[in-house]
Amino acid sequence: MERPADHALPDYADRVLTWAEAVPPGRVLTYGDIAALVAEGGPRQVGRVMATYGAAVPWWRVVRADGLPLPGGERRALEHYRAEGTPLRDVVPGSPSRVDMRRARWQPDPGQGPDAAEPRD
């Protein structure tokens, strides 16, 4: 997914979306992870950016700390997770699937920035 080159975003939003775009297929970051990587704000601020501007990035790769996807977007997120091979788990049979955070959480090197970050297992 590509954001338009002429986008006019606040700097904070641009940094959040840049990290969201950097998450490899099949991996996830939490709202708190991204807040730590941009070294500003917190999970709620990241969530607000994702809700306002996140449609142009792989939003399904940014999840709550418990592995649940964006409320209201669970079905679409699950389609993406299955297509990308994102590790999932069911907490209780019949309950919504969650991302298996132990296996799917991406650990980028925050010192390198999102353009140079490589997934670490």
Side-chain angles (χ1 to χ4, degrees), residues 47-67:
R48 181 71 178 151
V49 168
M50 294 301 295
T52 304
Y53 305 107
V57 299
W59 53 266
W60 59 91
R61 296 182 193 151
V62 182
V63 298
R64 295 176 6 175
D66 63 4

Side-chain angles (χ1 to χ4, degrees), residues 74-97:
E74 297 95 346
R75 186 179 318 185
R76 287 186 11 210
L78 188 56
E79 291 171 9
H80 288 290
Y81 297 148
R82 287 183 175 146
E84 294 180 354
T86 306
L88 300 172
R89 65 184 183 91
D90 290 321
V91 178
V92 177
S95 69
S97 292

Side-chain angles (χ1 to χ4, degrees), residues 22-39:
V23 179
R27 305 300 290 268
V28 298
L29 287 175
T30 68
Y31 296 102
D33 291 337
I34 291 181
L37 289 164
V38 299

